Amino acid sequence: MDRLTPLLAHFSPKAAVYFHGSSCQKTRFCPQSGQAYLHLVEAGQGALLLNGERIAVTEPCLIFMPRGDAHQFEVQHQHSLLLYCATLDCGEVAGNPLLAALPDCSVIPLSECASLRALIQLIWQENQQQYCGRDAALQRLTEYLLILLLRFIMAQGLVQVGLFAGLADKKLAAVFDAIHRQPQLEWTLEAMALEAGMSRARFAEHFRKVVGQTPAEYLLNWRLTLARKELLAGASLKQIAPAVGYQSVAAFHRAFRQRLGVSPKEWLHQLQPTAEQAA
Protein backbone atom coordinates (compact mmCIF):
# COMPACT_ATOMS: atom_id res chain seq x y z
CA MET A 1 0.00 0.00 0.00
CA ASP A 2 1.36 3.42 -0.97
CA ARG A 3 0.67 5.46 2.13
CA LEU A 4 2.31 8.72 1.05
CA THR A 5 1.07 9.26 -2.51
CA PRO A 6 -2.55 10.18 -1.54
CA LEU A 7 -1.11 12.93 0.66
CA LEU A 8 1.58 14.05 -1.77
CA ALA A 9 -1.01 14.20 -4.54
CA HIS A 10 -2.47 17.18 -2.69
CA PHE A 11 0.78 18.61 -1.33
CA SER A 12 3.63 18.08 -3.77
CA PRO A 13 6.74 19.83 -2.41
CA LYS A 14 8.17 22.76 -4.36
CA ALA A 15 11.80 23.52 -3.58
CA ALA A 16 13.99 26.57 -4.02
CA VAL A 17 17.73 26.55 -3.37
CA TYR A 18 18.33 29.13 -0.65
CA PHE A 19 22.08 29.10 0.02
CA HIS A 20 25.22 27.06 -0.55
CA GLY A 21 28.53 27.77 1.07
CA SER A 22 30.31 28.25 4.37
CA SER A 23 28.44 28.99 7.57
CA CYS A 24 30.92 31.83 8.08
CA GLN A 25 29.18 33.54 5.17
CA LYS A 26 25.67 32.99 6.53
CA THR A 27 24.77 31.92 10.05
CA ARG A 28 21.26 33.29 10.58
CA PHE A 29 18.11 32.12 8.82
CA CYS A 30 14.97 34.22 9.19
CA PRO A 31 11.52 32.68 9.72
CA GLN A 32 9.90 31.63 6.46
CA SER A 33 6.10 31.82 6.67
CA GLY A 34 4.56 28.82 4.94
CA GLN A 35 7.96 27.37 4.00
CA ALA A 36 10.07 24.55 5.41
CA TYR A 37 13.86 24.63 5.73
CA LEU A 38 16.06 21.77 4.59
CA HIS A 39 19.81 21.85 5.25
CA LEU A 40 22.47 19.41 4.17
CA VAL A 41 25.66 19.65 6.22
CA GLU A 42 28.44 18.45 3.93
CA ALA A 43 31.33 18.88 6.35
CA GLY A 44 32.41 20.59 9.57
CA GLN A 45 31.25 20.72 13.16
CA GLY A 46 29.19 23.20 15.11
CA ALA A 47 25.69 23.61 16.50
CA LEU A 48 22.20 24.59 15.43
CA LEU A 49 20.42 27.10 17.67
CA LEU A 50 16.64 26.74 17.44
CA ASN A 51 13.91 27.95 19.82
CA GLY A 52 16.38 28.30 22.68
CA GLU A 53 17.82 24.83 22.14
CA ARG A 54 21.40 24.06 21.09
CA ILE A 55 21.66 20.98 18.84
CA ALA A 56 25.18 19.67 18.22
CA VAL A 57 26.21 19.07 14.61
CA THR A 58 29.21 16.73 14.64
CA GLU A 59 29.06 14.97 11.25
CA PRO A 60 27.44 15.24 7.80
CA CYS A 61 23.69 15.25 8.29
CA LEU A 62 20.30 16.28 6.97
CA ILE A 63 18.33 18.87 8.95
CA PHE A 64 14.64 19.46 8.31
CA MET A 65 12.49 22.15 9.93
CA PRO A 66 8.93 21.78 8.64
CA ARG A 67 7.61 25.07 10.00
CA GLY A 68 10.41 27.35 8.78
CA ASP A 69 11.40 28.58 12.25
CA ALA A 70 14.14 31.18 12.64
CA HIS A 71 17.47 29.58 13.54
CA GLN A 72 21.20 30.02 13.30
CA PHE A 73 24.37 27.98 13.10
CA GLU A 74 27.16 28.35 15.62
CA VAL A 75 30.73 27.36 14.82
CA GLN A 76 33.63 27.07 17.25
CA HIS A 77 37.39 27.08 16.71
CA GLN A 78 37.07 28.75 13.29
CA HIS A 79 35.82 25.54 11.65
CA SER A 80 32.98 26.35 9.27
CA LEU A 81 30.09 24.14 8.34
CA LEU A 82 29.69 23.57 4.60
CA LEU A 83 25.98 23.94 3.95
CA TYR A 84 23.47 23.30 1.20
CA CYS A 85 20.19 24.99 2.12
CA ALA A 86 16.78 25.01 0.49
CA THR A 87 13.26 26.09 1.30
CA LEU A 88 10.24 23.97 0.44
CA ASP A 89 6.60 24.86 0.04
CA CYS A 90 4.79 21.77 1.31
CA GLY A 91 1.35 23.19 1.97
CA GLU A 92 1.87 24.40 5.53
CA VAL A 93 -0.55 27.31 5.08
CA ALA A 94 -3.34 24.88 4.21
CA GLY A 95 -2.37 22.62 7.12
CA ASN A 96 -0.53 19.69 5.52
CA PRO A 97 -0.88 16.96 8.19
CA LEU A 98 2.52 15.49 7.29
CA LEU A 99 4.22 18.69 8.41
CA ALA A 100 2.05 19.04 11.50
CA ALA A 101 3.04 15.51 12.55
CA LEU A 102 6.78 16.26 12.52
CA PRO A 103 8.85 17.80 15.32
CA ASP A 104 10.19 21.33 14.95
CA CYS A 105 13.54 19.93 13.87
CA SER A 106 14.76 16.55 12.62
CA VAL A 107 18.52 15.95 12.46
CA ILE A 108 19.48 12.73 10.68
CA PRO A 109 23.18 11.77 10.40
CA LEU A 110 23.97 10.57 6.89
CA SER A 111 25.78 7.59 8.41
CA GLU A 112 22.39 6.32 9.60
CA CYS A 113 20.42 6.71 6.38
CA ALA A 114 21.93 4.74 3.51
CA SER A 115 18.70 5.20 1.55
CA LEU A 116 19.34 8.95 1.36
CA ARG A 117 23.09 9.08 0.80
CA ALA A 118 23.14 8.35 -2.95
CA LEU A 119 20.66 11.12 -3.71
CA ILE A 120 22.44 13.57 -1.42
CA GLN A 121 25.72 12.80 -3.17
CA LEU A 122 24.02 13.53 -6.49
CA ILE A 123 22.75 16.86 -5.13
CA TRP A 124 26.26 17.82 -4.05
CA GLN A 125 27.71 16.85 -7.41
CA GLU A 126 25.03 18.71 -9.36
CA ASN A 127 25.49 21.78 -7.18
CA GLN A 128 29.22 21.93 -7.92
CA GLN A 129 28.76 21.83 -11.69
CA GLN A 130 27.59 24.53 -14.05
CA TYR A 131 25.57 22.33 -16.38
CA CYS A 132 22.56 23.70 -18.22
CA GLY A 133 19.42 23.25 -16.15
CA ARG A 134 21.41 23.02 -12.90
CA ASP A 135 18.96 25.04 -10.80
CA ALA A 136 15.93 23.12 -12.09
CA ALA A 137 17.73 19.83 -11.45
CA LEU A 138 18.58 20.85 -7.88
CA GLN A 139 14.98 21.82 -7.21
CA ARG A 140 13.65 18.47 -8.43
CA LEU A 141 16.33 16.50 -6.57
CA THR A 142 15.58 18.39 -3.35
CA GLU A 143 11.86 17.69 -3.73
CA TYR A 144 12.64 14.00 -4.22
CA LEU A 145 14.91 14.12 -1.18
CA LEU A 146 12.00 15.29 0.96
CA ILE A 147 9.89 12.35 -0.22
CA LEU A 148 12.72 9.95 0.67
CA LEU A 149 13.05 11.66 4.04
CA LEU A 150 9.34 11.21 4.82
CA ARG A 151 9.63 7.57 3.76
CA PHE A 152 12.67 7.12 6.01
CA ILE A 153 10.94 8.72 9.02
CA MET A 154 7.95 6.43 8.59
CA ALA A 155 10.00 3.26 8.02
CA GLN A 156 12.30 3.90 10.98
CA GLY A 157 9.49 4.85 13.37
CA LEU A 158 11.20 8.14 14.24
CA VAL A 159 7.83 9.69 15.22
CA GLN A 160 6.11 7.57 17.83
CA VAL A 161 2.68 9.23 17.99
CA GLY A 162 0.66 10.95 15.28
CA LEU A 163 0.11 10.58 11.56
CA PHE A 164 3.45 8.89 10.83
CA ALA A 165 2.79 6.32 13.54
CA GLY A 166 -0.66 5.76 12.08
CA LEU A 167 0.69 5.33 8.55
CA ALA A 168 3.20 2.79 9.87
CA ASP A 169 0.41 0.79 11.57
CA LYS A 170 -0.82 -1.91 9.17
CA LYS A 171 -4.46 -1.72 10.23
CA LEU A 172 -4.69 2.05 10.46
CA ALA A 173 -2.78 2.56 7.21
CA ALA A 174 -5.77 1.16 5.29
CA VAL A 175 -8.06 3.69 6.96
CA PHE A 176 -5.78 6.61 6.22
CA ASP A 177 -5.42 5.50 2.61
CA ALA A 178 -9.20 5.36 2.19
CA ILE A 179 -10.06 8.72 3.76
CA HIS A 180 -7.11 10.48 2.10
CA ARG A 181 -8.26 9.24 -1.31
CA GLN A 182 -12.01 9.73 -0.82
CA PRO A 183 -12.70 12.38 1.84
CA GLN A 184 -16.12 13.09 0.31
CA LEU A 185 -17.59 9.73 1.41
CA GLU A 186 -19.68 9.37 4.55
CA TRP A 187 -16.97 8.14 6.90
CA THR A 188 -18.75 6.99 10.03
CA LEU A 189 -16.81 5.35 12.84
CA GLU A 190 -18.26 2.01 11.73
CA ALA A 191 -17.10 2.53 8.15
CA MET A 192 -13.56 3.37 9.25
CA ALA A 193 -13.47 0.40 11.64
CA LEU A 194 -14.52 -1.85 8.77
CA GLU A 195 -11.57 -0.60 6.68
CA ALA A 196 -9.26 -1.46 9.57
CA GLY A 197 -10.81 -4.89 10.08
CA MET A 198 -11.51 -4.10 13.73
CA SER A 199 -14.51 -3.70 15.98
CA ARG A 200 -15.85 -0.19 16.43
CA ALA A 201 -14.72 0.15 20.05
CA ARG A 202 -11.31 -1.42 19.51
CA PHE A 203 -10.66 0.70 16.45
CA ALA A 204 -11.57 3.95 18.22
CA GLU A 205 -9.29 3.10 21.16
CA HIS A 206 -6.40 1.96 18.97
CA PHE A 207 -6.63 5.00 16.68
CA ARG A 208 -6.57 7.44 19.56
CA LYS A 209 -3.65 5.67 21.22
CA VAL A 210 -1.52 5.62 18.06
CA VAL A 211 -2.51 8.91 16.42
CA GLY A 212 -3.23 11.03 19.50
CA GLN A 213 -6.70 12.13 18.39
CA THR A 214 -10.03 10.54 17.60
CA PRO A 215 -10.87 9.29 14.08
CA ALA A 216 -13.55 12.00 13.78
CA GLU A 217 -11.07 14.72 14.73
CA TYR A 218 -8.55 13.56 12.16
CA LEU A 219 -11.20 13.28 9.45
CA LEU A 220 -12.45 16.80 10.19
CA ASN A 221 -8.92 18.22 10.10
CA TRP A 222 -8.16 16.46 6.82
CA ARG A 223 -11.34 17.71 5.17
CA LEU A 224 -10.68 21.28 6.28
CA THR A 225 -7.07 21.02 5.16
CA LEU A 226 -8.25 20.09 1.66
CA ALA A 227 -10.81 22.88 1.84
CA ARG A 228 -8.13 25.46 2.66
CA LYS A 229 -6.00 24.19 -0.20
CA GLU A 230 -8.92 24.68 -2.59
CA LEU A 231 -9.71 28.10 -1.15
CA LEU A 232 -6.15 29.16 -1.86
CA ALA A 233 -6.58 27.88 -5.42
CA GLY A 234 -9.65 30.07 -5.90
CA ALA A 235 -12.40 27.44 -5.75
CA SER A 236 -15.89 28.47 -4.66
CA LEU A 237 -17.62 27.19 -1.54
CA LYS A 238 -20.16 25.42 -3.77
CA GLN A 239 -17.33 23.46 -5.33
CA ILE A 240 -15.46 22.78 -2.10
CA ALA A 241 -18.29 21.65 0.20
CA PRO A 242 -19.29 18.40 -1.61
CA ALA A 243 -15.67 17.62 -2.54
CA VAL A 244 -14.70 17.40 1.14
CA GLY A 245 -17.77 15.58 2.42
CA TYR A 246 -20.39 18.23 3.24
CA GLN A 247 -23.91 18.08 1.87
CA SER A 248 -24.36 21.85 1.86
CA VAL A 249 -22.35 25.04 1.89
CA ALA A 250 -23.97 25.95 5.21
CA ALA A 251 -22.77 22.73 6.85
CA PHE A 252 -19.26 23.28 5.51
CA HIS A 253 -19.31 26.91 6.66
CA ARG A 254 -20.33 25.88 10.20
CA ALA A 255 -17.64 23.21 10.43
CA PHE A 256 -14.99 25.61 9.16
CA ARG A 257 -15.91 28.32 11.65
CA GLN A 258 -16.26 25.92 14.59
CA ARG A 259 -12.83 24.42 13.92
CA LEU A 260 -10.84 27.48 12.85
CA GLY A 261 -12.73 30.26 14.58
CA VAL A 262 -13.30 32.25 11.38
CA SER A 263 -15.30 31.91 8.19
CA PRO A 264 -13.59 30.74 4.97
CA LYS A 265 -13.66 34.33 3.64
CA GLU A 266 -12.16 35.69 6.87
CA TRP A 267 -9.44 33.03 6.79
CA LEU A 268 -8.43 34.05 3.27
CA HIS A 269 -8.47 37.71 4.29
CA GLN A 270 -6.09 36.99 7.19
CA LEU A 271 -3.56 35.60 4.71
CA GLN A 272 -3.46 38.76 2.57
CA PRO A 273 -0.82 40.60 4.63
CA THR A 274 1.47 37.55 4.40
CA ALA A 275 0.95 37.32 0.65
CA GLU A 276 1.65 41.04 0.23
CA GLN A 277 4.86 40.78 2.28
CA ALA A 278 6.03 37.82 0.19
CA ALA A 279 5.40 39.79 -3.00
Side-chain angles (χ1 to χ4, degrees):
M1 182 186 300
D2 187 342
R3 293 158 287 176
L4 287 177
T5 291
L7 286 156
L8 294 173
H10 293 286
F11 298 105
S12 296
K14 294 179 177 61
V17 178
Y18 188 79
F19 172 77
H20 180 257
S22 166
S23 60
C24 289
Q25 298 170 298
K26 184 172 182 63
T27 60
R28 296 179 181 272
F29 293 82
C30 298
Q32 291 285 338
S33 178
Q35 304 281 315
Y37 272 117
L38 185 148
H39 299 296
L40 292 177
V41 178
E42 299 181 41
Q45 295 186 354
L48 171 69
L49 306 182
L50 173 69
N51 298 331
E53 183 180 2
R54 186 178 186 276
I55 304 169
V57 177
T58 60
E59 61 180 299
C61 62
L62 184 155
I63 301 170
F64 185 61
M65 285 167 278
R67 284 167 282 283
D69 294 324
H71 58 285
Q72 68 181 87
F73 287 97
E74 178 185 83
V75 181
Q76 297 177 344
H77 310 302
Q78 306 302 314
H79 293 295
S80 281
L81 293 167
L82 185 56
L83 301 171
Y84 169 88
C85 310
T87 58
L88 294 114
D89 181 350
C90 308
E92 183 194 3
V93 173
N96 184 347
L98 287 171
L99 298 183
L102 290 170
D104 289 340
C105 182
S106 297
V107 180
I108 301 176
L110 300 191
S111 59
E112 297 179 7
C113 52
S115 62
L116 305 181
R117 286 202 299 268
L119 178 59
I120 290 172
Q121 186 64 35
L122 183 58
I123 289 174
W124 286 337
Q125 291 174 356
E126 185 71 33
N127 193 58
Q128 292 169 359
Q129 304 300 324
Q130 296 299 322
Y131 296 134
C132 293
R134 168 181 169 271
D135 289 348
L138 284 172
Q139 290 170 10
R140 301 301 179 270
L141 290 172
T142 303
E143 290 161 6
Y144 181 37
L145 177 60
L146 177 61
I147 294 173
L148 293 188
L149 172 62
L150 296 176
R151 189 186 297 171
F152 177 82
I153 289 172
M154 186 169 60
Q156 298 299 315
L158 299 185
V159 180
Q160 297 297 315
V161 177
L163 176 58
F164 282 94
L167 292 173
D169 185 286
K170 291 183 179 180
K171 291 185 178 295
L172 296 186
V175 180
F176 282 115
D177 183 67
I179 63 177
H180 287 157
R181 291 182 186 275
Q182 297 181 296
Q184 76 281 8
L185 298 184
E186 187 177 350
W187 288 110
T188 62
L189 184 61
E190 289 81 2
M192 287 187 277
L194 183 62
E195 287 286 342
M198 304 171 71
S199 70
R200 182 178 179 276
R202 186 181 175 192
F203 166 72
E205 179 182 2
H206 184 62
F207 191 103
R208 183 158 191 164
K209 179 180 179 181
V210 173
V211 183
Q213 56 186 308
T214 68
E217 288 171 336
Y218 183 85
L219 177 62
L220 172 62
N221 289 337
W222 173 240
R223 284 172 165 170
L224 295 184
T225 290
L226 295 181
R228 282 176 284 176
K229 173 178 174 287
E230 293 305 313
L231 284 168
L232 290 169
S236 68
L237 298 188
K238 289 183 178 180
Q239 294 171 313
I240 295 171
V244 297
Y246 292 93
Q247 295 182 352
S248 68
V249 169
F252 166 67
H253 200 281
R254 283 195 301 272
F256 196 101
R257 180 177 285 280
Q258 288 173 0
R259 178 66 181 84
L260 299 174
V262 292
S263 70
K265 183 178 180 180
E266 290 168 339
W267 180 79
L268 279 174
H269 182 72
Q270 289 176 352
L271 297 179
Q272 288 179 357
T274 301
E276 291 171 358
Q277 290 171 8

